[in-house]
Amino acid sequence: MSDRGMKKWLPFSSLVEQASYLDKMLYEKYKVEKPRISVEQARKIDRILKEYDGSLLTMKIYVDGYLYTYKGIIEKIDASKKIIFLKDIYLPIKNIIDIDDPDPFGDIL
C-alpha cells in the first residue's frame, strides 16, 4: 500500500521512451547555427597554427550545433587531412571558430 503512493505522484515517468525523447528535444532546441568566420579571424587562426610553439591554447570550437571552449596543448597537426590532434580529442580545423592569441602583436612586425 505504501508503494502505491509513490507511483501516484510519478505521472511523467510513465513512459520509458519519454525521458530520452524529451532530452533529445531539448538538445535539438538549443542548437545554434555555425558562426561565420571573417577573413581576419581566419588569418589569425592560420598564423597561430603555423607558428605554434607548444604553449597552452584556448580555442572556441563548433561541434554538432553547440559552441565549446577547449584549453589544451596541440600534440600534432595533420595538414593533409586538416585535423588537429589534442591530448583528449581530435577535431577538424574547420570546426575552430577562434583561438586566443598567445602573441597578439606578432602580426604587426
Side-chain angles (χ1 to χ4, degrees), residues 70-109:
Y70 183 83
K71 286 186 181 185
I73 296 173
I74 296 174
E75 292 184 352
K76 179 182 167 185
I77 299 174
D78 190 346
S80 62
K81 294 182 181 177
K82 298 180 182 178
I83 296 176
I84 296 178
F85 294 92
L86 302 157
K87 183 178 181 182
D88 301 331
I89 62 170
Y90 68 92
L91 61 114
I93 293 174
K94 67 179 182 176
N95 287 359
I96 297 174
I97 302 300
D98 192 22
I99 299 178
D100 284 347
D101 199 348
D103 184 20
F105 301 110
D107 207 19
I108 295 174
L109 301 173

Side-chain angles (χ1 to χ4, degrees), residues 11-25:
F12 295 109
S13 64
S14 59
L15 298 174
V16 177
E17 306 89 21
Q18 188 176 19
S20 63
Y21 180 75
L22 289 174
D23 290 340
K24 183 179 176 184
M25 216 168 66

Side-chain angles (χ1 to χ4, degrees), residues 1-9:
M1 198 110 152
S2 64
D3 216 359
R4 183 186 180 285
M6 285 306 235
K7 288 181 185 179
K8 180 178 171 184
W9 299 108

Side-chain angles (χ1 to χ4, degrees), residues 22-75:
L22 289 174
D23 290 340
K24 183 179 176 184
M25 216 168 66
L26 286 174
Y27 181 79
E28 294 293 326
K29 178 180 178 182
Y30 292 112
K31 280 188 175 184
V32 295
E33 195 174 311
K34 184 176 181 181
R36 293 183 183 251
I37 297 175
S38 67
V39 174
E40 292 83 18
Q41 251 182 327
R43 287 183 183 154
K44 180 180 99 168
I45 292 169
D46 186 49
R47 181 183 55 82
I48 291 171
L49 293 178
K50 284 181 180 176
E51 299 173 358
Y52 181 67
D53 61 353
S55 60
L56 183 72
L57 293 177
T58 303
M59 296 182 271
K60 287 183 183 177
I61 58 175
Y62 178 83
V63 180
D64 193 33
Y66 286 91
L67 294 171
Y68 299 99
T69 301
Y70 183 83
K71 286 186 181 185
I73 296 173
I74 296 174
E75 292 184 352

